[in-house]
Amino acid sequence: RACSPAPAPRVVWVGDAEGVREMRAALAGAARVGIDTEWAEGEGGGVGGAVLATVQLAVTEGSGEAAFVCDALQRGPAAAQYLSALGSELRSLLLSPAPPLPVGFAFAADAQKLAAWLREAEAAGGEAEAAGGGGEAEAVGGEEEGRALVRRIREATVDVQRLAEDAGLGSRSQAPSLQAACAHWLLQRLDKQEQCSDWAARPLSEEQAAYAATDAAACLRVLDAMEADWGEEEAAPPLDARL
């Protein structure tokens, strides 16, 4: 059967502390949160000389989803309140055992970027308290602490790519893509035209925002479809047994 275009969720740009509060209220009532990131050219983060540009968090809303696209490039004293609020929300989502459950796809590199961003944001917050926020912040803790944070983030997040591999999608030499998973389980086509666009641009274009938001929402959609398949199996194990 032919695939139809994947519908975009409702997109909410988050670039200040008030936006984080709105996002927190939406996440508080969710059982799961789709999570994805986009990167921009730059130094740091430990993955390919790129830095975290946006973090996308998607939740179910009625018959669709809402996706919060969070600016991760802000720096300096003027952004201190926003960075503190966003960092606190991300730590709560990724490091707390309490709901909601984060759901990503091919999440290893995202976890590295998020860990690096969280450590830098924590350093910036401490610096702002001690010296008014001047200067460049360095990540808190050493390399081992950074690796431990990456592990914690990965362990807390359902990686739908791993579940797709377990279900037989992909091959020995090629892990399944989110595009392939959407086509297989949803009969939806993800448009990847904006994937290599300039994610440091501000404001993002409507097309960029929709692209970023849709990838995060797709993680939730694919997992829901997988669970529907599991429900048709005899004695299907629970989600945590498949991770």
Side-chain angles (χ1 to χ4, degrees), residues 184-241:
H184 180 80
W185 273 283
L186 305 173
L187 293 178
Q188 292 180 358
R189 182 178 66 254
L190 281 181
D191 184 351
K192 307 300 281 187
Q193 184 174 345
E194 299 295 330
Q195 184 173 31
C196 296
S197 60
D198 181 8
W199 291 102
R202 295 293 182 271
L204 296 179
S205 68
E206 290 185 10
E207 292 78 12
Q208 283 178 301
Y211 165 86
T214 302
D215 273 9
C219 296
L220 295 178
R221 296 171 190 168
V222 172
L223 182 56
D224 284 347
M226 285 179 167
E227 288 188 306
D229 283 352
W230 299 342
E232 296 173 359
E233 300 173 8
E234 292 186 7
L239 178 60
D240 58 4

Side-chain angles (χ1 to χ4, degrees), residues 13 44 48 63 107 112 148 166 172 183 195 199 203 231-232 237-238:
W13 174 253
S63 60
F107 202 67
Q112 291 185 51
D166 290 345
R172 182 173 298 180
Q195 184 173 31
W199 291 102
E232 296 173 359

Side-chain angles (χ1 to χ4, degrees), residues 23-208:
M23 180 176 72
R24 182 183 299 124
L27 268 57
R32 296 172 178 170
V33 175
I35 182 168
D36 190 34
T37 66
E38 303 301 335
W39 309 347
E41 292 184 5
E43 295 300 325
V47 184
V51 296
L52 194 67
T54 64
V55 181
Q56 300 89 254
L57 302 176
V59 295
T60 300
E61 180 182 71
S63 60
E65 306 91 10
F68 297 85
V69 181
C70 306
D71 187 4
L73 289 179
Q74 292 190 36
R75 297 293 187 273
Q81 184 181 13
Y82 167 66
L83 293 175
S84 176
L86 180 59
S88 177
E89 192 62 28
L90 290 175
R91 281 186 173 275
S92 177
L93 173 65
L94 296 169
L95 301 177
S96 169
L101 178 69
V103 179
F105 195 97
F107 202 67
D110 298 280
Q112 291 185 51
K113 289 296 181 195
L114 286 162
W117 188 92
L118 286 169
R119 295 171 70 218
E120 183 183 348
E122 183 178 348
E127 187 176 77
E129 289 182 6
E136 291 290 329
E138 294 185 1
V140 171
E143 291 185 5
E144 182 53 41
E145 290 183 39
R147 286 192 290 269
L149 183 57
V150 172
R151 286 195 298 271
R152 290 180 64 192
I153 291 172
R154 292 189 65 182
E155 289 168 359
T157 304
V158 175
D159 193 329
V160 178
Q161 186 185 58
R162 292 171 55 192
L163 300 178
E165 289 178 308
D166 290 345
L169 197 65
S171 66
R172 182 173 298 180
S173 61
Q174 183 67 52
S177 65
L178 184 55
Q179 277 182 304
C182 285
H184 180 80
W185 273 283
L186 305 173
L187 293 178
Q188 292 180 358
R189 182 178 66 254
L190 281 181
D191 184 351
K192 307 300 281 187
Q193 184 174 345
E194 299 295 330
Q195 184 173 31
C196 296
S197 60
D198 181 8
W199 291 102
R202 295 293 182 271
L204 296 179
S205 68
E206 290 185 10
E207 292 78 12
Q208 283 178 301

